[in-house]
């Protein structure tokens, strides 16, 4: 059995999509001599989770055909049943995420405050420099003691631009509910909703392009996947270009959504 086939056989036992032999051959022959099998398995897993599942030649076509979302998850179909269950395990990637327990206007205000270098703590408004260099230069006459007593909150608020916007919303209430847009390896998209809280899903914590395993038996109601901890596993990963574009465009998307709501 050649090395690529050994890799594919080993990866079939893990809860990740099965890559094609062509893709694995390229990976296995990239170095001479090749690394140990365990190292190649870890590398293959990491690269898969960081890739777009719809990429041509990435996945084994047999796996793609048998482990994709069925047509019953199409919310636009007139034949969509009230409730059904996924017949097989399906690995999907996150292409959008929203905390629907907070109003969009509230989210806009928070992100705009971060852009101005302001953040609230209780009833107190804290004004902080947008970059660490301001504090290092002694801006405002308070020297290195500016951040005293503020801890991790202050460090978050000093992060520049979109990084701060993503990080500041990571700490969310335990009763938050998230709506996601998920995509399978064939490019089919479906809405998903937290039926019960999934701890690893949160704005500022979850990456765009991150992979989720939807287990066989996952409930689908009116074309919407119902997420609950017992039926899904967050595998990790991130598609860097998607995540960067999502974070940078989040404030503008929220502003547009608020404007549309006002016009209705």
């Amino acid at each position: 059995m050649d090395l690529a086939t050994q890799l594919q056989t080993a990866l079939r036992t893990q809860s990740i999509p099965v890559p094609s032999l062509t893709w694995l051959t390229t990976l296995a022959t990239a170095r001479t001599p090749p690394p140990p099998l365990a190292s190649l398995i870890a590398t293959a897993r990491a690269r898969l989770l960081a890739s777009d599942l719809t990429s041509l030649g990435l996945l084994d076509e047999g796996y793609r055909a048998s482990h994709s979302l069925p047509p019953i998850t199409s919310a636009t179909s007139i034949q969509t049943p009230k409730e059904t269950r996924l017949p097989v395990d399906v690995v999907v990637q996150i292409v959008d995420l929203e905390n629907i327990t907070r109003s969009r206007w509230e989210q806009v205000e928070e992100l705009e405050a971060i852009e101005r270098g302001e953040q609230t703590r209780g009833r107190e408004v804290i004004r902080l420099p947008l970059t660490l260099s301001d504090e290092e230069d002694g801006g405002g006459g308070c020297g290195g003691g500016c951040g005293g007593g503020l801890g991790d909150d202050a460090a978050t608020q000093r992060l520049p631009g979109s990084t701060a916007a993503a990080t500041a919303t990571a700490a969310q209430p335990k009763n938050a509910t998230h709506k996601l847009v998920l995509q399978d390896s064939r490019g089919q998209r479906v809405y998903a909703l937290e039926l019960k809280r999934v701890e690893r899903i949160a704005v500022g914590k979850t990456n765009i392009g991150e992979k989720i395993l939807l287990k066989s038996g996952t409930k689908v109601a009116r074309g919407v996947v119902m997420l609950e901890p017992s039926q899904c596993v967050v595998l990790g990963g991130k598609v860097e270009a998607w995540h960067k574009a999502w974070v940078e465009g989040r404030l503008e998307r929220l502003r547009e959504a608020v404007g549309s709501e006002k016009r209705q």
Side-chain angles (χ1 to χ4, degrees):
M1 186 183 296
D2 62 52
L3 187 54
T5 304
Q6 290 181 60
L7 269 172
Q8 190 182 66
T9 301
L11 290 169
R12 286 185 187 277
T13 65
Q14 303 190 18
S15 301
I16 58 173
V18 178
S20 68
L21 284 174
T22 302
W23 187 82
L24 288 171
T25 298
T26 302
L27 176 68
T29 58
R31 290 172 54 186
T32 304
L37 182 61
S39 177
L40 281 172
I41 291 172
T43 300
R45 180 185 176 90
R47 292 189 183 181
L48 273 171
L49 295 180
S51 300
D52 175 3
L53 295 181
T54 66
S55 298
L56 186 65
L58 175 66
L59 300 185
D60 177 78
E61 287 304 317
Y63 173 90
R64 194 193 300 271
S66 60
H67 289 77
S68 297
L69 294 169
I72 55 174
T73 57
S74 173
T76 59
S77 172
I78 60 173
Q79 297 179 343
T80 301
K82 289 184 179 180
E83 182 177 310
T84 188
R85 306 262 175 180
L86 293 183
V88 295
D89 292 352
V90 180
V91 175
V92 293
Q93 53 196 3
I94 299 171
V95 296
D96 198 11
L97 170 69
E98 182 180 1
N99 180 357
I100 60 174
T101 53
R102 302 182 62 199
S103 72
R104 287 168 174 165
W105 177 243
E106 182 183 1
Q107 295 175 62
V108 167
E109 287 185 317
E110 179 188 33
L111 293 180
E112 288 179 340
I114 293 170
E115 280 195 339
R116 295 191 299 269
E118 300 176 358
Q119 187 58 280
T120 60
R121 201 170 95 184
R123 295 185 179 181
E124 177 187 8
V125 176
I126 304 169
R127 296 178 185 273
L128 293 168
L130 288 177
T131 62
L132 290 171
S133 59
D134 293 339
E135 183 181 339
E136 291 165 357
D137 293 339
C142 58
C146 268
L150 295 182
D152 293 339
D153 289 341
T156 296
Q157 292 155 10
R158 294 191 195 102
L159 291 171
S162 61
T163 305
T167 307
T169 51
Q172 298 176 59
K174 291 184 178 180
N175 61 348
T177 299
H178 296 87
K179 181 176 75 174
L180 302 86
V181 178
L182 304 176
Q183 183 183 50
D184 71 2
S185 60
R186 296 172 70 179
Q188 299 177 101
R189 294 191 177 193
V190 63
Y191 283 111
L193 191 68
E194 280 183 306
L195 188 61
K196 294 181 181 178
R197 186 77 183 91
V198 180
E199 289 301 324
R200 287 187 60 185
I201 295 177
V203 176
K205 182 178 183 180
T206 302
N207 296 312
I208 302 303
E210 194 157 351
K211 310 303 186 282
I212 297 179
L213 168 66
L214 303 177
K215 296 181 180 179
S216 172
T218 296
K219 185 188 298 183
V220 182
R222 292 292 189 186
V224 178
V225 175
M226 299 287 109
L227 298 176
E228 47 188 322
S230 63
Q231 288 299 108
C232 71
V233 179
V234 181
L235 301 175
K238 174 171 69 172
V239 178
E240 191 65 46
W242 293 6
H243 187 75
K244 183 174 185 291
W246 185 88
V247 171
E248 292 178 348
R250 183 174 171 232
L251 178 55
E252 190 56 39
R253 290 195 305 275
L254 286 168
R255 283 171 174 161
E256 290 177 359
V258 169
S260 298
E261 290 171 355
K262 289 181 177 179
R263 289 192 295 270
Q264 289 177 356

